Amino acid sequence: MDFIQETLKKGNKYIWYSGIVISLVLLSFVISQVELEKIKSITSSASWIIFTIAVLILLTEGFFTALRFKLFTPGHPPLKNCLKITAWFIVSLVILPARLGEVAVIVLLKKHLQQSTGAATMNALSQRLIDLIFLLGMLLIFIFFTLQFKQDSYLYMLIFLLMIMLLISIYKMDILLKLTASVFYLKKRRVKNSLLKKIFKVILQARTWYRHHLDNNIITQA
């Protein structure tokens, strides 16, 4: 559990510990309200074939996530390291509250794949943007088969525009990072603030990673 300790060091420990305690309290409350007889009934009536298929799908998804970590990391790291990161990433999403597992994966990428903070952040962010485009595409297909186009044409256009904006943000991320860095650079010259300097450094690391690694071919493969 070293990565959890390192993750705690990256932020306010009181916030992290408070979140974990609250999650445990809420989980304990939910478990206390569960009737064991109903759980036994549900378990006995469950289809183990469907359960096995679901587990296999989950494992397959984890494998492809590991492949994406490998694809998005310079230097072609060993697949076993990417699989290890994926396993801990899934565990962190389950045990850490408020999607803090998304922060933990940055720590994992830094520790096991030797990525800088900016590169690890962009690695995770780029993958989430691609996932969001895929989910919006699936939503578009679902709406197409379940709703009438004439009545909900505005919804089609909204989803389509969101997908276009996300695609542009991925392919033009260099420009967005450059603009963001310029803002922090102006502040950096006027204000001697260590936090601003760190943010500015992370943005530069992210831009370097994007310019030298994330090309159109890698985005298409992802």
Side-chain angles (χ1 to χ4, degrees):
M1 304 297 284
D2 292 340
F3 85 95
I4 294 181
Q5 296 177 356
E6 293 183 22
T7 304
L8 290 173
K9 294 177 182 178
K10 299 298 179 181
N12 190 318
K13 289 186 178 182
Y14 295 104
I15 295 176
W16 287 85
Y17 284 130
S18 299
I20 293 173
V21 170
I22 292 173
S23 296
L24 291 175
V25 171
L26 292 175
L27 181 61
S28 300
F29 174 75
V30 172
I31 293 176
S32 66
Q33 301 301 311
V34 175
E35 297 181 15
L36 294 179
E37 293 299 327
K38 288 186 176 181
I39 293 180
K40 293 179 181 179
S41 175
I42 293 173
T43 303
S44 60
S45 61
S47 173
W48 291 104
I49 295 177
I50 295 177
F51 176 78
T52 303
I53 293 174
V55 171
L56 290 175
I57 292 174
L58 180 62
L59 292 174
T60 303
E61 192 274 337
F63 177 74
F64 281 106
T65 299
L67 288 179
R68 188 184 285 178
F69 279 131
K70 180 179 176 65
L71 178 67
F72 274 53
T73 303
H76 303 289
L79 181 59
K80 64 177 183 179
N81 290 354
C82 298
L83 288 170
K84 183 177 181 180
I85 290 175
T86 302
W88 279 116
F89 177 40
I90 295 173
V91 171
S92 64
L93 286 175
V94 174
I95 65 176
L96 294 177
R99 301 294 296 183
L100 291 177
E102 301 289 353
V103 179
V105 73
I106 296 174
V107 179
L108 290 167
L109 289 170
K110 292 178 62 178
K111 178 180 179 180
H112 295 286
L113 300 184
Q114 289 74 50
Q115 288 196 310
S116 64
T117 302
T121 302
M122 279 302 301
N123 191 326
L125 177 61
S126 299
Q127 294 192 50
R128 286 296 163 264
L129 289 176
I130 293 172
D131 289 340
L132 187 54
I133 293 173
F134 175 78
L135 291 175
L136 287 173
M138 295 297 293
L139 177 61
L140 198 62
I141 295 173
F142 174 78
I143 293 175
F144 179 79
F145 285 104
T146 57
L147 300 177
Q148 296 183 7
F149 180 78
K150 292 182 179 179
Q151 295 180 354
D152 300 279
S153 57
Y154 69 93
L155 188 57
Y156 284 89
M157 295 189 64
L158 177 61
I159 295 175
F160 185 73
L161 286 174
L162 286 174
M163 293 176 66
I164 294 297
M165 290 175 62
L166 288 171
L167 280 171
I168 292 175
S169 66
I170 292 176
Y171 283 100
K172 299 299 181 181
M173 186 65 69
D174 182 49
I175 297 176
L176 296 176
L177 291 171
K178 181 179 178 180
L179 292 173
T180 307
S182 64
V183 172
F184 278 93
Y185 180 69
L186 291 174
K187 291 184 178 180
K188 179 173 175 282
R189 288 192 301 179
R190 290 189 300 229
V191 182
K192 293 182 179 180
N193 187 304
S194 59
L195 178 60
L196 293 179
K197 291 180 181 178
K198 289 180 181 179
I199 296 176
F200 179 70
K201 180 180 179 181
V202 169
I203 295 173
L204 291 182
Q205 291 172 346
R207 190 181 179 211
T208 300
W209 174 85
Y210 180 88
R211 295 183 67 182
H212 294 282
H213 182 68
L214 196 62
D215 54 26
N216 294 345
N217 183 43
I218 290 179
I219 295 175
T220 303
Q221 291 181 52

